[in-house]
């Protein structure tokens, strides 16, 4: 009996190993990168929902902190790749009695040629201020528009000028001109991006016009986003079934109403 028990042990180990391998194989079907991306998106959505419920000053403070951290990391990385091991670009000291305009040029070169810590500080101030002011403007105006974008850019540019020392010997004037330059550039980018966004949205909406009309007729317009998420365009309407609507998280009741409407509507029903 002991001999038989000793022979059975390897079989038990083999069975356990095969079971583990099967479980690993079943888990291996999922894409780790996709799972990580989904978790990150869920976390991002949760943070945004939490911040939307907070007072303006709390949301502005958190947004500013996140923006400053991102800008600081970017600035530190840029300073690290600078020549001489991140010590910054070699900028000679200005001679005494230099013309004020030339002095300002030297200061600008020094501000843009700092090492990792200097660049991290400058970019942290710039991006943090931009994010914080944008947040406040969005809360106050109730929309993210051109005026809010340009105001945030002006504030971030002015603070960048002051912190980096670009404005010597006229820091106030230089801060205003730098802020205006930032505002003009960001305003231009905002307008261009808005035009592209409108064109893209218009083209996408054209693919869902019949589906949108159907949902509005049935009082189910809240599920339009589900159709877009599942890419259920107008071309797919005659092919819709219970499984397809379930996959885009439409509840059973609305599913039955939609399918019944498609059956009864000659223009939507699948031709045999």
């Amino acid at each position: 009996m002991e001999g038989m028990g000793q022979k059975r042990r390897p079989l038990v180990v083999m069975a356990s190993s095969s079971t583990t391998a099967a479980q690993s194989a079943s888990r291996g079907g999922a894409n780790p990168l996709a799972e990580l991306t989904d978790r990150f998106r869920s976390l991002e959505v949760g943070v945004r929902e939490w911040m939307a419920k907070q007072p303006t000053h709390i949301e502005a403070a958190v947004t500013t902190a996140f923006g400053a951290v991102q800008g600081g990391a970017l600035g530190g990385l840029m300073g690290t790749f600078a020549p001489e091991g991140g010590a910054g670009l070699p900028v000679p000291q200005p001679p005494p009695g230099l013309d004020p305009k030339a002095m300002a040029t030297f200061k600008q070169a020094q501000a843009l040629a700092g090492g990792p810590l200097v660049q991290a500080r400058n970019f942290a101030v710039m991006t943090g201020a931009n994010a914080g002011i944008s947040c406040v403007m969005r809360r106050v105006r109730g929309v993210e528009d051109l005026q809010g974008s340009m105001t945030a850019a002006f504030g971030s540019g002015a603070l960048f000028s002051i912190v980096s020392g670009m404005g010597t010997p006229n820091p106030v004037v230089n801060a205003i001109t730098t802020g205006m330059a930032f505002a003009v550039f960001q305003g231009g980018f905002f307008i261009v991006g808005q035009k592209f966004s409108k064109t893209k949205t218009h083209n996408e909406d054209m693919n869902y016009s019949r589906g949108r009309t159907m949902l509005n007729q049935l009082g189910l317009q809240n599920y339009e986003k589900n159709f877009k998420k599942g890419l259920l365009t107008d071309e797919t309407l005659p092919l819709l079934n219970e499984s397809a609507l379930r996959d885009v998280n439409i509840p059973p009741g609305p599913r039955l109403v939609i399918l019944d409407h498609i059956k009864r509507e000659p223009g939507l029903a699948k031709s045999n």
Side-chain angles (χ1 to χ4, degrees):
M1 296 295 291
E2 294 180 357
M4 294 177 62
Q6 293 177 355
K7 291 181 180 178
R8 289 179 179 176
R9 286 178 183 174
L11 294 176
V12 174
V13 173
M14 291 177 64
S16 177
S17 301
S18 62
T19 303
T20 304
Q23 293 175 351
S24 301
S26 62
R27 287 195 300 264
N31 187 350
L33 182 59
E35 292 181 356
L36 182 62
T37 303
D38 291 339
R39 290 181 181 179
F40 178 78
R41 287 178 178 174
S42 300
L43 178 62
E44 184 181 9
V45 171
V47 171
R48 288 183 177 179
E49 291 178 351
W50 176 82
M51 290 177 59
K53 299 176 183 178
Q54 305 305 313
T56 302
H57 65 280
I58 298 295
E59 183 182 6
V62 174
T63 304
T64 301
F66 274 114
V69 170
Q70 293 176 351
L74 177 61
L77 185 64
M78 292 177 61
T80 302
F81 287 119
E84 300 181 5
L89 295 174
V91 180
Q93 293 297 322
L98 192 64
D99 181 76
K101 293 184 178 180
M103 178 72 75
T105 303
F106 268 108
K107 289 297 182 180
Q108 291 177 2
Q110 290 175 348
L112 298 175
L117 294 180
V118 175
Q119 293 283 26
R121 178 201 64 189
N122 295 346
F123 275 80
V125 171
M126 180 176 62
T127 56
N130 192 299
I133 297 174
S134 295
C135 174
V136 174
M137 293 297 294
R138 185 175 63 252
R139 276 290 189 98
V140 172
R141 297 178 61 84
V143 65
E144 189 170 354
D145 56 4
L146 178 62
Q147 288 80 0
S149 178
M150 294 185 66
T151 302
F154 177 85
S156 63
L159 288 175
F160 175 79
S161 173
I162 295 173
V163 172
S164 62
M166 293 172 57
T168 305
N170 298 312
V172 176
V173 175
N174 200 78
I176 294 175
T177 55
T178 303
M180 292 177 63
F182 273 55
V184 170
F185 277 113
Q186 185 154 325
F189 283 124
F190 185 90
I191 293 174
V192 173
Q194 202 172 35
K195 287 184 177 180
F196 278 107
S197 177
K198 286 183 178 179
T199 302
K200 182 179 179 182
T201 303
H202 176 73
N203 292 336
E204 289 180 350
D205 288 346
M206 290 297 294
N207 296 325
Y208 298 93
S209 59
R210 295 172 63 193
R212 185 185 305 107
T213 301
M214 176 189 70
L215 294 174
N216 289 333
Q217 290 176 352
L218 300 175
L220 302 175
Q221 57 272 14
N222 291 336
Y223 296 106
E224 181 181 348
K225 60 181 181 297
N226 301 66
F227 271 62
K228 291 183 177 181
K229 184 178 180 180
L231 300 180
L232 299 179
T233 61
D234 292 343
E235 295 181 354
T236 67
L237 293 181
L239 307 174
L240 286 183
N241 53 32
E242 181 84 9
S243 175
L245 295 176
R246 186 189 306 115
D247 289 342
V248 295
N249 298 323
I250 295 180
R255 287 203 301 262
L256 295 174
V257 173
I258 292 172
L259 293 176
D260 180 69
H261 179 82
I262 292 176
K263 283 183 180 179
R264 298 174 180 273
E265 187 67 28
L268 297 177
K270 184 177 180 181
S271 58
N272 295 325

